[in-house]
Amino acid sequence: MGLFPFHPLRSNRFQPSSNQITENETSYTIELDAVGVAPDNISVNATENELHISAEATSLAHDLTLIHREHLSTGLNQKFRFRNSIDADHIEAELHNGLLSLKVPKKEARRIAVTVKTQALEVSETHETALEI
Amino acid sequence: MSFFTPQSNIYKSDDLFLIDVFLPGVAPENLQVDVKNQILTVQASRKRGAQELTYKRDFRLNRNIDADAIEGKLENGRLQIKLPLANQQRKILIHAA
């Protein structure tokens, strides 16, 4: 049946990527596919509420003829913008088995003091209304 | 149960096929590769917090592949499977009567 010897059987739910961002009260957690990326090739740049992750994929190519490609192997170039301000100085990153995980702490919200001025209320005579049933 | 279908790239030379299966976060001890009835099955898992994620994919093999000579290597999330082609020509030994 032609040159294609393989027939990758598809699952009912084809989910090729397990990249994910989650959020809890104190931090964001990001998981990215970084297969083929060497640790010293990763750069993580952070500002008040933006994160830019870039990395080159060291060559995953072979001397062989490519006949079917799904994984682009172009490395990483991702920008994230967060609703909350992030604590850029305390980002933790780990590369393990080709998975890049980042923990991005949220900046603690500043407490803004609110004062309420009370106003003296004047109380007048109350009028009782008799209810007739 | 839902699972991820790992992305795969396939290469070929005169002597073999090569499949790169991308399994980010997967350690060798959580990987299983089987061949049965011309089907190669890759199954793997990894932890995400308290959750366990599964990767699974089947490949139907061309009959020119020498199933006994298949070998694989998992390194930094990349599973490389080499599938040598069986010799097309076989010498047939004739016994003297």
Side-chain angles (χ1 to χ4, degrees), chain A residues 75-120:
Chain A
L76 294 169
N77 190 10
Q78 299 229 12
K79 257 197 185 139
F80 300 93
R81 174 171 274 162
F82 301 97
R83 251 180 322 120
N84 297 89
S85 295
I86 58 173
D87 185 356
D89 296 324
H90 291 96
I91 296 174
E92 294 166 26
E94 183 187 62
L95 178 65
H96 191 52
N97 292 324
L99 184 75
L100 178 63
S101 314
L102 297 115
K103 187 168 163 204
V104 182
K106 295 180 181 175
K107 238 187 193 143
E108 271 179 38
R110 272 187 314 136
R111 269 250 133 110
I112 300 172
V114 178
T115 50
V116 178
K117 286 199 173 130
T118 51
Q119 193 175 27

Side-chain angles (χ1 to χ4, degrees), chain A residues 6 15 21 25-26 38 42 48 50 66 70-71 91 105 110 116-117 128:
Chain A
F6 299 99
Q15 297 182 74
I21 308 171
E25 268 180 33
T26 54
I42 303 176
E48 179 96 351
E50 260 187 28
L66 176 70
E70 289 172 0
H71 191 270
I91 296 174
R110 272 187 314 136
V116 178
K117 286 199 173 130
E128 267 187 30

